[in-house]
Amino acid sequence: MDTNEILVLTVGAILVNNVVLSRILGICPFLGVSKRIETALGMSGAVIFVMTLASFVTALFNRFLVTQTFTINGTEVDLSFTRILLFIVVIAALVQIVEILLKKFSPSLYVSLGIYLPLITTNCAVLGAAELNADASRGLISSTVFGFSTGVGFGLALLLFASIRERLAIARIPKAMEGTAIALVTAGILAMAFMGFSGLVK
Amino acid sequence: MKDMTKASNPFYLAFFLLVVCGVSTLVMAVTAVKTDAPIRAAQAKETADSLKMILPPFDNDPAAEAIDITSPDGEPVKLYTAKNGGLVVGYAAEAAASGFGGKVAGIVSFKPDGTIDTVIIKSGHAETPGIGTKVTDRSVKRTISDVVKGVKPDTSKLPPNAALDSYSGVKPGDAKWTKEKDAVHFVSGATYSSNAVCDLVWYAATAVRAHLAAAEKKEAN
Amino acid sequence: MNSPIRTWRFHGGVHPADGKALSNSVPAQRAPLLERYTVAIQQNIGAPPKPVVQKGDTVKKGQLIAEPGGFVSAPVHAPTSGTVGDIVEVPGANGGAIPAIEIISDGKDEWGSGLDPIPNWKNTDREILKKRIADAGIVGMGGAAFPTHVKLSPPPEKVIDTLILNGAECEPYLTADHRLMLERTEAVLEGAAIAAKILRVDRVFLGIEENKPDAIAALNEKAGQYGVTVVPLHVRYPQGGEKQLIYALTGRSVATGGLPMDVGCVVQNVGSCAAIRDAVVEGHPLIERYTTVTGTPVANPGTWILRFGTTVEQALTFAGGVKARAAKVIMGGPMMGFAQTSLGVTVTKNSSGILLLQWKETAEYTSNPCIRCGRCVRACPMKLLPGPVSVMVESENYDEAEKNYVMDCMECGVCTFVCPAKRPLVQHFRRAKAEINAKRRAAKAKQA
Amino acid sequence: MLITILVSAGVVAAVGLILGALIGFTAKKFEVQTDPKIEAVQELLPGANCGGCGYAGCADFASAIVTKGADPSGCSACSDAMLAKIAEVTGKAAGKKEKMTAVVFCSGSFSRSARAADYNGILDCRSASIVAGGGGKACRFGCLGYGSCARACPFGAIEIRDGLAVVHPELCRACGKCVNVCPRKLIRLVPASAPIHVYCNSLEKPAKRRKFCKNPCLACKKCIRTDENHMQMQAGLVRVNYSNPPEASFVEQVKCPTGALQVEEIHRKIAALKPVEPAPKAAPAPKKEESK
Amino acid sequence: MSEEIEKNNIALPEPGSLVLSTSPHVQDGDSIARIMAKVLICLLPAVAASIWFFRFDAVRILVYCASFCIFAEYGWTLATRQAATIGDYSALVTGVILALNLPPGAPWWLCLIGSVFAIIVVKELFGGLGQNPFNPAAAARVALLVGFAGPMTQWAAPATGSLVSGATPLGAIHAVQGSADAMAQLGAPDNLMKLFLGNVGGSIGETSALAILIGGLGLMAFRLIKWQIPLAMIATIFVFTGIVHLAAPGLTPGPLYHILSGGVMIGAFFMATDMVTSPITPLGALVFGGVIGVLTCIIRIWGAYPEGVSFSIVIANALVPLIDRMCYIRPFGWHSHSVSALNIRRGEIK
Amino acid sequence: MSIFKEFTKGFWKENPVLVLVLGMCPTLATSSDAVKGLAMGLATTFVLMGSNLVISVIRKLVPGKIRIPCYIVVIATFVTVVKLLMQAFAPEAYQTLGIFLPLIVVNCIVLGRAEAFASKNGLLASAADGLGMGLGFTFVLVCLGCIREFLAAGTLFGISMQCWDNGFAIMGQAPGGFILLGLILAGMNLLNMRKAKKAGIKYEPPAEFDCRHCSICKLSTEEPVKTK
Ligand SMILES: Cc1cc2nc3c(=O)[nH]c(=O)nc-3n(C[C@H](O)[C@H](O)[C@H](O)COP(=O)(O)O)c2cc1C
Ligand SMILES: Cc1cc2nc3c(=O)[nH]c(=O)nc-3n(C[C@H](O)[C@H](O)[C@H](O)COP(=O)(O)O)c2cc1C
Ligand SMILES: Cc1cc2nc3c(=O)[nH]c(=O)nc-3n(C[C@H](O)[C@H](O)[C@H](O)COP(=O)(O)O)c2cc1C
Ligand SMILES: Cc1cc2nc3c(=O)[nH]c(=O)nc-3n(C[C@H](O)[C@H](O)[C@H](O)CO)c2cc1C
Ligand code: SF4
Ligand code: SF4
Ligand code: SF4
Ligand code: SF4
Ligand code: FES
């Protein structure tokens, strides 16, 4: 894997095909944890961490279990249909273990990140990244890089969004538009602007 | 653990989870096995349908016999050979190049001598509607009045596309086609998409040419 | 005008139409004796004084009628001789009703302060001088009414090297200090010399805006005798703001939450200095002051020497009443003064002016949102972010406002003056400061 | 086919088992105790985060209930059924509470009170109160009518009618937010069962009260004379004795000369006599009539 | 006493009719409407240039956008029962700037959709003037560009009116990418002069750098914009493209070509500077301009879109609260707290 | 509540998207045209109904501690089944849905209903709930898909309406989805405000992204608190 490929993967995942703004994954935490910049940063950190780890681990499973065909007694056994189940179970377990460890070893970090961890299990961006990796048959390193940059892309979108929402919080928004409605419109305009990056990676 | 009731006995929990996993895998596996053949068939049908549209009638299964080759530029190309009664009646090559919004993939069919016959674009979703699609799209939208009038879409022949059709009958030379010199059609304002089509046809054509040359050489040997 | 020392230019500020021409050439007139004065008991920042007279007592002019309620407090004296009436409620300049002692004049206007003149102050002990200033009830006459003797008693660890006389009078329309410096030049300078002796400083600056050339000339003539350097300054509001003045004259900036003495300075209004001189040299306590009664609706704008306890109504009568309809009656200047709803407000030690404005001259506030034009940011002499902070206050986010230094706002009104959206920014900041102070008090009370 | 099923089931089960064991192991090994009760109580609280209980939001209150034994009935937004459930979780008896409601002790709507000035500034009582004189009304004690309390109320129980705040008792949950916010200290929490109130808060000289307002309490004490058990003086003001409130018919019995003593519903209706105008977006800029 | 006054016939103010407000009691005369009117005046040169180059097309688009924007705003205030706000002219400014951002071939419905999007979606849904985090005109241009790519890329050669696709100076860059000679030709002085005067294809208001510059200087003279924004933006583009041009002459033409072509000028002076959507702190304005500059260069040089100014403005708009927060200058006296106290104790003061 | 009511509530009163604001990602991503929305909706309905059924059957057997993992396994099974079936019998729909098909596993609606309903109710009611919710979801997806498709391309279910050929293309892309859904939610708020006003009470639109109804993130809390 050369630097160019890494560049293409990262720029693509962060700017061009941003998970949130272009692929529309991970909207729940995007809308839910973007009220303050501090919490948004915490969430971004947690997502980057979990996504990197999960991409690596699921890639591992994909490589050595899911895409392998075993020949037993002359019959070919193709396990690819277990992919969804294995991925989600692995991610859920991973998040739980991380949560338990964090709680034990760094209570302060747990206090700032821990509350977001459960939310991440079902954050479709994590499973999405794993699925995208598997679909594109990426190797271990590429998968991990992709997971990491997808996480960074999520963080970038979340940070931008949280920054605007701080301003929205004190704006005189029409009553009916308050809350999720204006957040979605904002996300839409932001997504539109991000389309300007199309073509950066070909 | 204070009470070792059923509900919190770790072994019971593990056992229960095991059973659930087992049963669900069973269900999945049964479905997987049962759908295995239809899935393959569906996948094969897709390509076969495209090939049928751009190749003369054939009696073999080109999709099953497809081989992977590379163009002289190093681009991967998938080659299908159509035969009728054992005789090669045409080739089709699948290649991809980057366009405005991502990869544009297409299949190019060739006469047995390597002359381009027909070009179709399989996936050009990301090209801008109205700009890029001018280059890539062969589809004709069914209109509501057709539906009301009951006019059935004509599926027997491909809808025309000036840009794609301009490659028909061309045989690749040594230099790549350009807008200025060659007859091939570049849609102005959609340079990226035109370039992508041009690139992918070029990859396919040069790969087929190389393949034919190699085959000839082999035969000659 | 060349300045004798180097001066610094403070950030921001504005130059409103000054309106001083209405009154700056009119010599100050002594107001006629009134039948009745209602002297507000609290005329200083700090502890409220305690009345020491009963209804029916006879008093002499300058006699003590309320004694200080603590160290940071100032006594109040009878404005004329006569009898003590009821303790009544009068409207206060910043709203609400405040208690005042009624003095019914006997028409004789006899002095009887019980303070001896100290003409030979140069050889008098500094503590005696300080006590005299305290006894004379002198407070800052530049606006805040902070007891002067406190300012002149810096704690020993603070080294004071500069005394600054504030003759800037940067508020539009007001000409009281101007007339004072012109007419009582030597009193101002001698008072400064007394203060300088008390503080043991030999560097005394008098900062004055360039738009008072006659006063500058008069001061320059005598200043050398008293060791005072007169420094003409740019005409820019708020040049007279304490921190701005210190910066302009010395290049030192007073830290947020800090006091002038932290940078070795004491700032005194020129009126306070004249009062110091009167108290020391003549033995007269503070019972009257120069006050400008002005504004386009006023028939005869000018500066009057008014005794404390005079009502706005009476002061306006001296000036011939109004010739056009007034929309606002303001105690103080147009930038920092307080709008009044009643003419029963009385003149106190810090009433530098009574200003009337017509409809077309007054500010008109709206609840329009901030358009973030940034003018307030450019103009704020304290380098705050008035627009954004006001939005924080509007959404009742006081913590955020506090983090953005709303407590450093000196309410100079510059931001509001320039705001094109006509937002009542100062009101937002006052609200925020009130809420934050309340919160701090509550926190303190909880701690104790 | 059978093999596929067996192998895959085995693999999945194995993975599940390994992961489960891993989680179980880490959970056991690195266990940290937390009290599940707190979460349980938090679930039961309304989640309005109104702060009426005096804690920083529902979560804080929940932890206080469990760890410090705070009284759940401190939450005024909780239904009795919920309180019972919380008591169940914490194992403590639920406190009984009398239903309270807020009352604004003023009847000086714009059309029924004198004006002292044209107020031009922020339409908010707390902001208006820091301007000299505080708002446009002449009475120094009455309602400013700029609705700080209405905005503070998390349950929308206060409405401003013609420049006077009125409480809708059926919506009020007695959280006390409005009480703290009113700069004129006009609002008190009283038992909701009391049907009548003295709608005046003025400590002005009686003569002035008349000048400023159409329905002032002149402190003539007629009502107290009618029945000393029901009415009383409190800090210079005539008030209903809320530990023994009179019936609604008491109003007719007394014939209060100014109508300051009034039945709550009628008071609310009178306040609404002037049609409710939509709140202006901008502060009413004084009209610049002549001399412009 | 009061009887005495009446006897003397002295008139006094009548209490009860006085205005009560906080200080200050005077204001300088500027209002939002006057600011917007001044912006409109500063837009005149660009408007005039657009009409000069594109004749009736420019007039048509300007009239459409201006009136649609005003109608949209008026309709919104009617529908939401608010006081009418069209009197502050901000909708008119948005309309004119949007019009200047459209190609000469823009049909009426494009103007309508753009105007409604700008005013309703980007401005009013967020609460109206002063509350919108995104620049309405820029966001509307972005929406139209990605939504109606076809009509939005129908360029006309100036003064001829014949429609041509891709015939803009920036389109030209993409066409010849890879050839250093061609790039050098683009950056030739006579070509630059043409760009400066505006006799080139493009949106109706962006072609003449000169006209925009005149208006931009007016904006600065009126103190309506923060000079930091155009300065930082143009300087960043100059440096960025300069470096790239030196490193890879075949990739992109020289910096002057970039600055004079496309939307850089109008973006830098009229759009990035929209005060509602730009940082309020002076340092923040510098950073903001820099961000726009960098993003613009990235999109122009490596992206698929020939022009990136409006995308960059909208993305940078999203960063404004963050920028402001990080670039806040401390209040007066903040830094000297400890220093001055120390110095005095040591007797070191000047 | 009758079975019929369990079934119909998903359409409007407790519509998972409009009222409960769940499953934003699939809603936004797969409503770019009507056909895609329909495919996604039906696939989700299948999973919802199936998982609700199974969970309702086993609800008494599942120990509380491993409740959620069990549910996830069940859901994942149904997703895999639907994925395989679509791959075999509806390859085009399978292609267009892409990764959003496997992502049904983490769609909060599915687990949310399992948690909130099927784990507490009988077989028939759970099936009705799942079907109703699923069809409610489908209904919104198809409506949104129709609007977006029409605005973006002038077609409905791929058939040109002959109004315009190339419409407002971003409506078919991510930004259009965001903005339109935002407007629709605003419309819902407006409706609720009207209703509340008629009833004489004040309606506050949820200030934050409203995930109160979704218990999916409580995966790690061990013993669930039963609220009803
Ligand atoms: C919104 C937008 C969408 C575009 N979409 C495409 C596209 O899908 N395919 C394409 O080849 N060019 C597209 N372009 C055009 C190119 O970016 C650029 O204008 C073109 O390369 C110039 O063409 P020319 O070389 O014919 O002048 C688009 C441009 C814009 C502004
Ligand atoms: C609580 C308080 C304490 C003060 N203590 C001192 C002091 O010890 N020494 C001093 O020189 N000034 C002191 N000051 C006076 C201030 O420095 C300042 O001169 C006064 O507030 C009037 O300023 P102004 O008219 O600019 O508002 C104090 C002021 C306040 C409010
Ligand atoms: C914005 C502002 C402007 C001021 N302008 C003047 C002024 O022009 N003249 C003046 O004597 N004091 C002015 N003051 C008050 C001074 O800051 C300071 O309190 C005073 O000079 C201290 O002297 P004193 O205690 O003798 O009043 C101003 C204060 C502020 C906040
Ligand atoms: C210097 C200046 C530049 C402006 N630029 C824009 C602009 O680019 N787009 C726009 O919609 N409005 C612009 N406006 C108008 C106004 O600020 C805009 O309508 C607000 O963003 C609406 O809230 C500008 C105003 C000024 C004073
Ligand atoms: S001057 Fe007024 S409009 Fe401008 S930024 Fe400041 S508060 Fe906002
Ligand atoms: S009033 Fe306060 S914020 Fe406004 S300019 Fe003056 S110091 Fe700055
Ligand atoms: S009751 Fe108090 S807070 Fe409410 S409107 Fe009246 S004055 Fe304002
Ligand atoms: S009226 Fe007052 S006490 Fe009642 S709910 Fe509202 S804020 Fe709380
Ligand atoms: S549906 Fe995607 S994160 Fe919730």
Side-chain angles (χ1 to χ4, degrees), chain F residues 91-161:
Chain F
E92 276 160 35
Y94 172 78
Q95 286 277 330
T96 54
L97 290 185
I99 62 161
F100 283 93
L101 198 49
L103 287 184
I104 296 176
V105 179
V106 282
N107 186 336
C108 350
I109 300 176
V110 183
L111 192 56
R113 289 328 286 177
E115 260 278 86
F117 199 91
S119 65
K120 293 171 196 137
N121 286 283
L123 192 97
L124 226 53
S126 300
D129 176 78
L131 189 64
M133 284 288 163
L135 292 181
F137 183 60
T138 314
F139 167 71
V140 174
L141 282 190
V142 172
C143 289
L144 204 56
C146 283
I147 301 175
R148 289 177 64 184
E149 186 185 344
F150 181 68
L151 291 178
T155 61
L156 285 179
F157 290 92
I159 298 166
S160 166
M161 292 293 118

Side-chain angles (χ1 to χ4, degrees), chain E residues 20-349:
Chain E
L20 184 60
S21 76
T22 30
S23 58
H25 306 286
V26 288
Q27 275 170 336
D28 76 358
D30 232 350
S31 66
I32 296 177
R34 284 181 64 163
I35 290 184
M36 295 299 164
K38 283 188 216 161
V39 174
L40 286 169
I41 293 173
C42 295
L43 278 166
L44 279 181
V47 167
S50 74
I51 296 175
W52 172 262
F53 287 121
F54 297 102
R55 305 292 150 91
F56 180 69
D57 273 334
V59 178
R60 184 178 56 92
I61 293 170
L62 279 160
V63 170
Y64 278 150
C65 284
S67 46
F68 290 149
C69 277
I70 289 173
F71 282 136
E73 176 137 324
Y74 188 63
W76 174 267
T77 50
L78 272 190
T80 54
R81 299 198 191 86
Q82 288 169 326
T85 51
I86 46 174
D88 63 26
Y89 304 142
S90 75
L92 190 55
V93 173
T94 301
V96 171
I97 292 183
L98 176 61
L100 297 180
N101 270 295
L102 295 182
W108 66 270
W109 52 267
L110 204 67
C111 302
L112 177 68
I113 294 176
S115 305
V116 169
F117 191 86
I119 296 293
I120 305 291
V121 177
V122 189
K123 182 175 168 191
E124 296 297 346
L125 287 187
F126 288 87
L129 179 68
Q131 316 286 340
N132 49 314
F134 300 105
N135 184 327
R141 180 187 148 83
V142 167
L144 293 179
L145 195 60
V146 294
F148 295 101
M152 281 297 284
T153 47
Q154 290 293 305
W155 310 110
T160 63
S162 64
L163 292 182
V164 281
S165 300
T168 68
L170 289 165
I173 297 182
H174 279 252
V176 299
Q177 220 159 32
S179 151
D181 286 348
M183 290 295 172
Q185 231 169 46
L186 286 181
D190 58 331
N191 205 12
L192 290 181
M193 197 60 199
K194 231 166 95 184
L195 286 178
F196 183 64
L197 294 178
N199 198 10
V200 291
S203 297
I204 63 169
E206 73 181 12
T207 58
S208 172
L210 175 65
I212 296 165
L213 203 58
I214 294 171
L217 292 178
L219 285 176
M220 293 207 207
F222 282 135
R223 304 263 257 158
L224 292 173
I225 60 173
K226 294 179 195 73
W227 54 266
Q228 287 95 336
I229 296 176
L231 178 82
M233 185 172 153
I234 292 174
T236 318
I237 294 179
F238 189 92
V239 173
F240 197 114
T241 53
I243 292 173
V244 175
H245 178 65
L246 287 182
L251 191 57
T252 197
L256 277 177
Y257 188 88
H258 273 282
I259 288 167
L260 295 176
S261 63
V264 169
M265 278 293 180
I266 190 168
F269 284 104
F270 285 97
M271 295 173 72
T273 52
D274 171 15
M275 48 220 183
V276 177
T277 57
S278 59
I280 203 167
T281 56
L283 185 61
L286 271 179
V287 175
F288 179 76
V291 169
I292 298 179
V294 170
L295 290 177
T296 302
C297 294
I298 290 178
I299 295 176
R300 276 189 174 185
I301 298 175
W302 292 289
Y305 285 99
E307 173 61 308
V309 172
S310 29
F311 290 105
S312 314
I313 290 177
V314 178
I315 295 173
N317 284 160
L319 279 167
V320 164
L322 209 60
I323 293 178
D324 258 343
R325 190 197 254 231
M326 307 216 284
C327 297
Y328 175 46
I329 18 103
R330 307 294 175 199
F332 176 70
W334 187 82
H335 48 91
S336 57
H337 187 58
S338 44
V339 182
S340 54
L342 268 179
N343 285 351
I344 286 162
R345 224 160 289 143
R346 296 199 195 114
E348 288 170 7
I349 28 180

Side-chain angles (χ1 to χ4, degrees), chain B residues 183-216:
Chain B
V184 295
H185 193 82
F186 273 70
V187 174
S188 79
T191 312
Y192 283 91
S193 311
S194 306
N195 269 333
V197 170
C198 180
D199 285 350
L200 84 87
V201 175
W202 175 256
Y203 298 146
T206 48
V208 167
R209 186 174 64 185
H211 175 74
L212 289 181
E216 219 164 84

